[in-house]
Amino acid sequence: MKAKELAYIMHRSTNILPSLEALENSKDYSIEEIKKLIQECPFVTDDEMNFISEALEDYSKCRWIPFICVIVPSFE
C-alpha cells in the first residue's frame, strides 16, 4: 500500500501536474505534446490513454464538460 501511495505521488508530480500546466499554457504546447507527456507515465494503460486522448480532443474543440468528465477521474 505504501509503495502504491509513493508511486501516485511521483506520478502526480512528474506527469499529472506538468500535463495540467501544459494545458493551462496550451499556446506553448500542442495536444500531441501533452499526450506524449501523459504517455510517458508507466501507470497509464492503453485504455486510459484512449479516454485521455478523446478528452484532449474535446479540450482542443472547447467542449469543456466532456473534457472535465473524462480527465478528472482519469487523473484521480
Side-chain angles (χ1 to χ4, degrees):
M1 187 61 112
K2 186 70 173 166
K4 190 172 186 175
E5 179 183 335
L6 291 173
Y8 175 75
I9 291 169
M10 187 174 75
H11 170 57
R12 185 185 67 181
S13 63
T14 60
N15 295 96
I16 293 174
L17 295 178
S19 298
L20 290 175
E21 185 177 332
L23 283 173
E24 185 177 331
N25 303 311
S26 60
K27 63 184 176 291
D28 298 330
Y29 287 88
S30 72
I31 295 297
E32 290 306 313
E33 289 172 312
I34 294 169
K35 285 180 191 177
K36 286 178 189 174
L37 275 173
I38 297 169
Q39 283 177 325
E40 290 175 4
C41 176
F43 304 114
V44 177
T45 66
D46 289 339
D47 287 338
E48 290 169 329
M49 198 60 221
N50 288 336
F51 283 116
I52 291 168
S53 294
E54 289 178 24
L56 291 171
E57 290 302 318
D58 287 333
Y59 175 84
S60 71
K61 295 175 181 170
C62 299
R63 295 189 303 232
W64 310 120
I65 293 174
F67 167 72
I68 290 169
C69 289
V70 171
I71 213 70
V72 170
S74 294
F75 280 167
E76 286 179 352

